[in-house]
Amino acid sequence: MPDINLISHHLWPYVQRAVIVLSEKNIRHERTYIDLANKPDWFQKISPLGRVPVLQTSEAVLFESQVIAEYLDEVIPASIN
Ligand SMILES: N[C@@H](CCC(=O)N[C@@H](CS)C(=O)NCC(=O)O)C(=O)O
């Protein structure tokens, strides 16, 4: 399974859409929280719209919560741990 990092912010519902799929499928992942009022340079480089959520895997960088949710649902197997 690819390593998964969800670039996130604590408050926002679009992030929660991805978090819900990760949680429901029990997918092991990391979360990196960023300050949207002071976006880090590395984030600006990988996020074409400068918005969260962004999903990083060893295979892809995805943005748009609906796309992320569909990718997680269809491509990443649920974890039994
Ligand atoms: N259509 C996008 C919307 C994402 C979005 O609006 N994210 C907000 C937080 S929920 C954001 O990053 N805002 C920061 C900005 O626009 O600078 C999605 O579904 O992922």
Side-chain angles (χ1 to χ4, degrees), residues 1-5 22 25-30 79 81:
M1 186 197 304
D3 293 338
I4 295 171
N5 181 30
L22 287 162
K25 294 190 74 174
N26 201 22
I27 296 170
R28 240 177 296 148
H29 65 283
E30 295 180 359
S79 169
N81 296 325

Side-chain angles (χ1 to χ4, degrees), residues 12-15 17 36 39 49-53 64-66:
W12 296 101
Y14 291 112
V15 173
R17 179 181 274 166
L36 288 174
K39 297 171 188 171
L49 302 176
R51 292 179 177 163
V52 292
E64 284 294 324
S65 58
Q66 185 66 43

